[in-house]
Amino acid sequence: MASPIPRQPGRSLLLQLLVVTVVAMRGAQAAPAAGQPSGPGPVRAVDSVDLARYGGFWYEIAKIPNRFQKQCARQTIAHYSLRRDGRINILNQCIKQNGNADQARGIARVVDPNTAAKLKVSLVSFLGWRPFWGDYWIIGLDANYRWAIVGTPDRQYGWILARSQSLDPAALETIFAVLERNGYQRTRFMVGPQGR
């Protein structure tokens, strides 16, 4: 009579230990080593925005290129006006390559009433219904409202705006320092022509 196959009672325990070891190794690879930075922290909006002062015309100085502005060749501007209901009317305009103007109208609503620095913007309307809202965070703002930096919490979009058609190098360096503190790379921003 053949002898039975000997049981190996520790086999399932060995398998469990192997799984635990692999999981622990993956976690160690994903976690930053002690003393090393873990990457950029979250994007931070400014502490306070006076929306009445923020209103008016802004020139786009630079942006992270995006699909919804690809038709714009030059003279990109935005006009914001505060409404009685607390929302903001938006008019974005640019000149296309063929010389024609392109316009988009929308509204913005304040998401964080404590600072008024985090807004949601909608530029698409279907018979008054606005199904799409995008983040619009003011992450940098000159004390005299001469320039502003707008970004999104995922860092996919960003704009540098100014009250004039250009900014001096010192102001631009200040702006890029704010962007870099918020985890943006300055090389992603493309300066747009404002010429006529």
Side-chain angles (χ1 to χ4, degrees):
M1 180 174 184
S3 62
I5 298 173
R7 293 189 64 204
Q8 298 178 353
R11 189 172 214 161
S12 64
L13 179 60
L14 286 174
L15 185 60
Q16 290 175 12
L17 285 172
L18 180 61
V19 169
V20 169
T21 303
V22 169
V23 169
M25 287 174 59
R26 284 189 180 171
Q29 290 171 351
Q36 291 184 351
S38 61
V43 173
R44 291 181 48 106
V46 297
D47 293 333
S48 177
V49 177
D50 179 341
L51 292 176
R53 289 184 70 191
Y54 193 78
F57 282 98
W58 291 93
Y59 292 93
E60 178 187 277
I61 302 301
K63 69 174 177 291
I64 295 175
N66 58 68
R67 60 181 169 71
F68 50 86
Q69 284 185 286
K70 64 184 177 183
Q71 76 283 5
C72 295
R74 65 186 188 279
Q75 292 179 324
T76 302
I77 60 169
H79 183 265
Y80 306 121
S81 56
L82 197 57
R83 298 170 17 155
R84 289 187 180 191
D85 63 3
R87 292 185 173 199
I88 301 162
N89 284 325
I90 300 170
L91 171 62
N92 290 338
Q93 181 175 301
C94 69
I95 303 298
K96 299 189 290 189
Q97 197 67 43
N98 64 9
N100 293 333
D102 184 69
Q103 288 188 345
R105 294 182 182 273
I107 60 170
R109 57 183 166 86
V110 176
V111 175
D112 179 4
N114 294 324
T115 66
K118 294 180 182 178
L119 299 99
K120 289 279 190 181
V121 169
S122 174
L123 296 169
V124 177
S125 175
F126 298 107
L127 302 173
W129 175 56
R130 296 188 174 273
F132 306 112
W133 293 84
D135 289 308
Y136 182 108
W137 288 16
I138 301 167
I139 61 175
L141 186 60
D142 176 67
N144 295 312
Y145 288 64
R146 292 176 300 175
W147 54 258
I149 308 166
V150 176
T152 57
D154 61 4
R155 300 181 182 87
Q156 292 303 305
Y157 301 99
W159 293 268
I160 297 170
L161 308 176
R163 297 296 190 180
S164 59
Q165 294 187 13
S166 63
L167 288 170
D168 62 70
L172 278 173
E173 193 54 41
T174 299
I175 288 166
F176 282 119
V178 172
L179 284 164
E180 288 171 345
R181 280 197 306 270
N182 277 282
Y184 281 91
Q185 296 174 349
R186 69 172 68 200
T187 55
R188 295 183 65 200
F189 283 80
M190 180 184 76
V191 176
Q194 283 294 343
R196 305 245 174 244

